[in-house]
Amino acid sequence: MDDLTLVREHTVYRCVMGSRAFGLATEASDTDRRGVYLAPTPLFWRFEKPPTHVDGPRDEEFSWELERFCELALRANPNILECLHSPLVEHVSAVGAELLSLRGAFLSRRAHTSFGRYAASQHGKLVADVRLHGAPRWKHAMHLLRLLLSCRDLLRTGHLAIDAGPYRDRLLAVRRGELTWDEVDTWMTRLQEETEDALAGTPLPEEPDRARVEDFLVRARRASALQ
């Protein structure tokens, strides 16, 4: 079974991500698709294991095997957690529906570290662009602000919302370069401070519910083996 067949025939969940899911799309925005496939259990009995991820078959489409997806979600990988909360779901099977029902099991205070580490990396790149070229890549600056807003609100509420909602107009103004870098950087700094404040009183647990996720994965593998 080739890699793309796994995506075409065994996808359990597929959604649209990127600017369209964030409520920040423009006429020029691509349609980024992300998915999860459940590789048939017998494929794991061979020396050569099925792939942990597959690029395609369409442009801007990327999928993870269920186990890899769950591993990354338990680590609070920002991109993976956001996939589970996309408002634009294109396909969901019975296994995919159960995966979505586990969204809360993946959320923990680990998000503070994982989102923060990613944000620091992206901020460093923006600062380098300003130093070298006099301005950042404004689209990247917009998405970093959106991520910081999402992380702050996750820690405040215990729920992950990825739609930029009330911040849309100002974020799009950032993308168009209508704010100065100093204004944007000040906003980023304030969001980081608010995130630290939110951590102190967050309702999120210290760790994700790994046992609950593993039980789901084992049952999915077993059901696949019996088909």
Side-chain angles (χ1 to χ4, degrees), residues 133-181:
H133 308 295
R137 281 174 277 190
W138 293 113
K139 179 179 178 181
H140 292 186
M142 176 192 72
H143 281 299
L144 176 52
L145 284 165
R146 185 209 58 79
L147 181 81
L148 290 168
L149 286 162
S150 181
C151 181
R152 181 200 64 186
D153 293 346
L154 168 61
L155 291 170
R156 283 178 173 177
T157 67
H159 301 284
L160 181 60
I162 69 171
D163 192 312
Y167 305 100
R168 171 183 164 84
D169 289 345
R170 193 170 188 216
L171 288 171
L172 289 177
V174 171
R175 178 172 180 160
R176 293 190 296 266
E178 294 173 1
L179 278 71
T180 66
W181 168 244

Side-chain angles (χ1 to χ4, degrees), residues 3 7 37 50-55 62-65 68:
D3 294 357
V7 175
Y37 59 90
T52 58
H53 57 271
V54 175
D55 208 350
F62 190 92
S63 300
W64 295 268
E65 207 283 323
R68 178 60 174 165

Side-chain angles (χ1 to χ4, degrees), residues 28-164:
S29 296
D30 294 327
T31 299
D32 300 318
R33 290 182 171 87
R34 299 293 180 264
V36 182
Y37 59 90
L38 174 60
T41 300
L43 295 182
F44 290 91
W45 300 341
R46 305 171 181 175
F47 286 121
E48 185 176 351
K49 307 303 180 187
T52 58
H53 57 271
V54 175
D55 208 350
R58 288 174 288 190
D59 291 341
E60 309 300 333
E61 183 170 6
F62 190 92
S63 300
W64 295 268
E65 207 283 323
L66 179 62
E67 182 174 343
R68 178 60 174 165
F69 186 87
C70 289
E71 287 176 346
L72 293 172
L74 287 168
R75 297 178 197 168
N77 179 289
N79 292 324
I80 299 293
L81 290 182
E82 289 182 338
C83 281
L84 284 171
H85 293 79
S86 173
L88 304 177
V89 176
E90 291 190 332
H91 170 78
V92 59
S93 70
V95 172
E98 186 168 2
L99 174 65
L100 290 180
S101 76
L102 290 171
R103 283 183 290 201
F106 293 107
L107 297 178
S108 73
R109 297 184 190 187
R110 289 185 181 186
H112 173 258
T113 300
S114 62
F115 278 64
R117 185 183 299 122
Y118 181 78
S121 171
Q122 295 303 305
H123 184 262
K125 294 176 182 179
L126 292 172
V127 171
D129 284 339
V130 173
R131 185 169 60 250
L132 293 173
H133 308 295
R137 281 174 277 190
W138 293 113
K139 179 179 178 181
H140 292 186
M142 176 192 72
H143 281 299
L144 176 52
L145 284 165
R146 185 209 58 79
L147 181 81
L148 290 168
L149 286 162
S150 181
C151 181
R152 181 200 64 186
D153 293 346
L154 168 61
L155 291 170
R156 283 178 173 177
T157 67
H159 301 284
L160 181 60
I162 69 171
D163 192 312

